[in-house]
Amino acid sequence: MSEVLTIITAVSPSYRYSSELMLCMRMFRKALPEDSLLLVNESTQPGSFRKFVKDHFSRLSPYILIVKEPALLMGKDTVKTLRDFLDANPDIDCVLPSDIRGYRSTRVADYYTLKGFERFSSSLRDQSSTSSPYDGRDQWMFLIRQERLAAVDIPEDPMDIPKILPGEKTCISLNSYIHPFIDYYHEDRSDVLHLVPKDVQSFLDIGCARGNFGASVKRETGCRVVGVETNPHEAQFAEKNLDSVIVGDVLAVDIGETFDCVACLDVVEHFADPEPLLKKVRCLLNEEGHFLMAVPNVGHWSVIEDLMEGRWDYIPAGILTVSHLRFFTKAAIKSLLEDMGFTIVTMGGQPTRLPAYADDLSSLMEQFDIEVDKQNLSFLSYYILAKK
């Protein structure tokens, strides 16, 4: 097609403070077709996205891509595939890409790096089965014909447009796939909640985001929870969930009290030198206090596989997050904690399934006297509870 494609999306003030979200925007722009006109709504006022769409009707192309926000991964041909689908199916007015909630039943979303995402999304293509009916899901992005968009009463949230269209006019493209970072600042970290001591009376969450994990701790233990967050936009939400929120760099702010438990969940790797952080954590802990950590494992098989293929791609989330300044394996994080005067009480993690070649590769390496730690290869991250 020669017509310019119009893309409409929204961004929150968090993008100004987050290198991860700024990378999302750069990757999003690079993945758009060259004949695209990108319109970005930066207002967070209620109803502003709806007004933004209506105000730009005069600039709309025959096809319009509406995106909730650019916090997603997509291939360079994702939008083209959606556009080709509408070209080939004149009876369809609106098409969504597939995502983690359902794509092709025979495949497992086993990617953890950009290379893995590219390989997985390419493997989903199957011309014998190109679409499935729209199932009413909340969507992150969709492509719609301009004449159909002009004919509907745009709802308060334009992302609900596919829900108000006739069911037979909307479908999901199985040959296009995206990975949205749906819960970027919303995670409740239920994966580590069981490690919080039950008798904790005071709790500090460093890097609390919107305070959802701290809110879970409050519900479980009834304790007082304080958060520290560098992103002032997200800290506003955390204030509604926690007893107190301190905005700023944890090394620069005055906390003013000590705690029964201090949490750094996926935090230490963001410091070029983690030692000052761990020294401060020691000072913030009561004598019998606990230190709760979650640390990505750079020794995961997906990173090793990428390195063997000459790849090391920073991405918005995961082990190779763009803002990670230090990288750890199990041995490295244990050594750091011991050097900083901590005793590990328990250490677990998030295991993943090893690829089929892992056993053969391990046997081959052992022939050259290289001992392969298959458990470390399988762990995506480590969860640690320690004491002074």
Side-chain angles (χ1 to χ4, degrees):
M1 290 183 60
S2 60
E3 300 93 339
V4 171
L5 175 69
T6 305
I7 295 98
I8 301 177
T9 190
V11 298
S12 73
S14 281
Y15 280 73
R16 303 173 198 162
Y17 307 106
S18 170
S19 58
E20 297 93 340
L21 291 178
M22 289 302 295
L23 177 60
C24 283
M25 176 59 86
R26 293 196 299 273
M27 295 178 73
F28 178 69
R29 288 179 181 273
K30 287 179 66 175
L32 297 177
E34 292 183 1
D35 61 345
S36 299
L37 171 64
L38 178 61
L39 304 174
V40 181
N41 175 42
E42 296 185 356
S43 173
T44 58
Q45 295 297 316
S48 65
F49 197 19
R50 176 180 186 240
K51 183 176 184 300
F52 189 82
V53 174
K54 298 182 74 171
D55 287 350
H56 288 85
F57 262 170
S58 62
R59 303 177 70 182
L60 298 185
S61 57
Y63 291 154
I64 302 97
L65 185 72
I66 298 184
V67 185
K68 184 176 182 180
E69 63 171 292
L72 54 85
L73 291 179
M74 66 176 178
K76 288 189 69 67
D77 60 347
T78 298
V79 179
K80 180 181 183 301
T81 302
L82 294 174
R83 201 160 56 169
D84 289 347
F85 182 87
L86 287 186
D87 278 342
N89 296 273
D91 293 335
I92 301 296
D93 289 331
C94 179
V95 61
L96 291 68
S98 59
D99 58 48
I100 196 70
R101 294 167 293 182
Y103 31 93
R104 296 191 186 277
S105 59
T106 59
R107 293 304 319 279
V108 176
D110 56 356
Y111 55 87
Y112 305 97
T113 65
L114 181 60
K115 174 68 175 178
F117 169 80
E118 292 169 353
R119 181 185 294 116
F120 176 81
S121 56
S122 296
S123 72
L124 294 177
R125 296 185 174 278
D126 181 356
Q127 296 308 317
S128 66
S129 174
T130 60
S131 67
S132 65
Y134 174 52
D135 55 10
R137 69 180 63 178
D138 291 334
Q139 53 281 320
W140 203 260
M141 63 184 283
F142 59 88
L143 186 69
I144 187 171
R145 299 183 192 275
Q146 192 273 343
E147 63 266 26
R148 169 52 69 180
L149 183 62
V152 302
D153 183 14
I154 298 177
E156 186 74 12
D157 182 358
M159 301 312 299
D160 288 336
I161 288 174
K163 296 181 180 180
I164 65 175
L165 298 179
E168 69 276 8
K169 294 292 186 179
T170 304
C171 68
I172 298 172
S173 169
L174 298 178
N175 284 340
S176 57
Y177 180 83
I178 63 170
H179 180 97
F181 300 110
I182 297 173
D183 297 318
Y184 199 84
Y185 282 105
H186 302 255
E187 290 191 54
D188 61 8
R189 295 310 303 260
S190 57
D191 50 336
V192 296
L193 186 59
H194 66 285
L195 292 175
V196 177
K198 301 303 180 187
D199 59 350
V200 64
Q201 297 297 308
S202 57
F203 187 92
L204 177 66
D205 187 9
I206 298 174
C208 66
R210 294 197 170 190
N212 290 340
F213 175 62
S216 298
V217 172
K218 283 177 65 70
R219 285 193 298 271
E220 283 288 311
T221 67
C223 73
R224 179 173 178 273
V225 178
V226 177
V228 179
E229 175 55 46
T230 59
N231 187 321
H233 179 69
E234 299 304 322
Q236 297 176 55
F237 297 94
E239 289 171 352
K240 301 174 184 178
N241 289 323
L242 309 181
D243 295 288
S244 176
V245 177
I246 300 167
V247 182
D249 183 341
V250 66
L251 297 181
V253 298
D254 181 16
I255 307 295
E257 59 180 302
T258 57
F259 300 85
D260 294 334
C261 186
V262 174
C264 287
L265 304 182
D266 296 319
V267 170
V268 67
E269 64 274 10
H270 293 269
F271 286 76
D273 181 2
E275 291 192 7
L277 172 65
L278 297 187
K279 287 179 180 177
K280 185 152 189 178
V281 168
R282 281 182 57 85
C283 294
L284 291 169
L285 280 173
N286 294 328
E287 280 308 308
E288 296 301 317
H290 287 82
F291 180 32
L292 177 61
M293 296 182 73
V295 185
N297 172 32
V298 76
H300 188 257
W301 66 264
S302 62
V303 178
I304 305 303
E305 184 179 86
D306 275 18
L307 285 170
M308 289 193 294
E309 297 186 45
R311 296 284 293 266
W312 177 281
D313 304 296
Y314 285 106
I315 52 178
I319 299 171
L320 300 184
T321 297
V322 65
S323 55
H324 287 181
L325 303 177
R326 290 290 290 267
F327 298 90
F328 299 93
T329 61
K330 180 180 181 180
I333 193 60
K334 286 178 67 177
S335 177
L336 176 64
L337 286 171
E338 290 166 1
D339 289 347
M340 297 305 298
F342 288 94
T343 298
I344 294 175
V345 177
T346 183
M347 187 171 189
Q350 184 181 358
T352 62
R353 187 173 62 180
L354 286 173
Y357 60 73
D359 287 331
D360 292 339
L361 183 60
S362 296
S363 299
L364 178 63
M365 300 295 280
E366 287 167 2
Q367 293 179 27
F368 295 92
D369 295 325
I370 298 174
E371 185 177 345
V372 177
D373 185 343
K374 289 172 62 175
Q375 184 187 61
N376 188 69
L377 283 174
S378 71
F379 272 55
L380 199 61
S381 60
Y382 286 103
Y383 305 151
I384 304 157
L385 188 67
K387 297 187 74 171
K388 294 201 278 190

